[in-house]
Amino acid sequence: DQQVKQNSPSLSVQEGRISILNCDYTNSMFDYFLWYKKYPAEGPTFLISISSIKDKNEDGRFTVFLNKSAKHLSLHIVPSQPGDSAVYFCAAYTGNQFYFGTGTSLTVIP
Amino acid sequence: GAVVSQHPSRVICKSGTSVKIECRSLDFQATTMFWYRQFPKQSLMLMATSNEGSKATYEQGVEKDKFLINHASLTLSTLTVTSAHPEDSSFYICSAMAGGPQPQHFGDGTRLSIL
């Protein structure tokens, strides 16, 4: 049972525009959420996180939004750059365990 | 940022061979390490969680006698794929966490190919 879902397997965005990656979850016990970026043949790299007591966290070009009532998480990248092209995984944490979505492949077109 | 080193990055070996993969946290003490397996175009599948000094907790469907995990110190965990077969070919990734909830930091993965 997939508790964390990323329903868009891919996304293409023009350079300079905003990229919005979405993630839905089902378990209300999740108390910490993260976004990771992954290049081929490499391990994921941590990008940004948010605690369940917050609804927004910003770090440079990256902002994560959490809507607990909708059990929805999103990552905004603005402005998008070609180097942002990668697979993005959202993850949720509870009970010393992380649950990952299936990833969204972002392509930023120069 | 935190660095996790995973070695080797690629292994190609014959069926029946046992393969050991090392995961080291280089600049922090990892109380918990995770081992994942990734199939093509799929998410990371958690195989097991290991806490330093105790036995690993395996996910349902993961054979603990096949995938031996040792977490003997706060900076090193090893995964040994025993008597590997072609169906064990995959991308294995480890991660380490200093204490939850915090981000886990990933190694670069090991591509295992069993002929």
Side-chain angles (χ1 to χ4, degrees):
Chain A
D1 178 35
Q2 190 76 25
Q3 297 191 49
V4 178
K5 296 180 182 178
Q6 293 176 257
N7 292 316
S8 298
S10 62
L11 174 69
S12 289
V13 171
Q14 206 73 34
E15 181 179 3
R17 299 288 186 106
I18 185 171
S19 295
I20 300 176
L21 298 108
N22 294 303
C23 180
D24 297 295
Y25 62 95
T26 57
N27 189 344
S28 58
M29 297 301 291
F30 289 140
D31 54 12
Y32 187 59
F33 301 88
L34 311 93
W35 283 95
Y36 287 86
K37 176 180 178 179
K38 184 181 183 301
Y39 294 113
E42 292 183 14
T45 303
F46 169 71
L47 266 180
I48 192 168
S49 64
I50 187 168
S51 163
S52 62
I53 62 173
K54 294 188 174 182
D55 54 20
K56 177 182 175 181
N57 188 27
E58 190 173 351
D59 183 2
R61 296 186 297 115
F62 302 93
T63 304
V64 56
F65 294 93
L66 175 62
N67 182 334
K68 285 191 293 295
S69 60
K71 293 192 176 68
H72 181 81
L73 187 72
S74 63
L75 174 68
H76 293 207
I77 306 173
V78 57
S80 302
Q81 299 173 355
D84 296 328
S85 297
V87 177
Y88 289 78
F89 290 95
C90 67
Y93 174 90
T94 185
N96 200 38
Q97 189 162 327
F98 291 84
Y99 297 81
F100 285 83
T102 50
T104 298
S105 178
L106 173 66
T107 301
V108 179
I109 304 163
Chain B
V3 178
V4 174
S5 171
Q6 186 172 339
H7 177 80
S9 58
R10 182 162 183 114
V11 181
I12 302 173
C13 56
K14 292 182 179 179
S15 185
T17 307
S18 291
V19 178
K20 181 186 276 189
I21 303 169
E22 289 190 351
C23 182
R24 293 181 185 272
S25 58
L26 299 183
D27 55 358
F28 68 100
Q29 293 187 324
T31 54
T32 306
M33 286 187 166
F34 303 88
W35 287 95
Y36 294 86
R37 184 172 177 175
Q38 185 178 28
F39 295 98
K41 297 184 180 179
Q42 292 191 25
S43 182
L44 300 171
M45 274 183 41
L46 180 65
M47 298 175 65
T49 302
S50 74
N51 293 296
E52 184 263 341
S54 59
K55 288 185 179 180
T57 302
Y58 289 81
E59 294 302 298
Q60 194 172 16
V62 178
E63 300 174 59
K64 57 181 151 184
D65 294 331
K66 174 115 185 126
F67 299 98
L68 300 178
I69 291 171
N70 184 281
H71 190 170
S73 78
L74 283 170
T75 58
L76 174 64
S77 176
T78 60
L79 167 68
T80 302
V81 184
T82 60
S83 188
H85 289 95
E87 59 267 26
D88 299 323
S89 299
S90 192
F91 191 57
Y92 293 86
I93 307 177
C94 74
S95 71
M97 187 173 75
Q102 289 188 46
Q104 50 181 313
H105 300 280
F106 287 85
D108 279 340
T110 298
R111 171 69 60 191
L112 176 62
S113 301
I114 308 298
L115 306 176

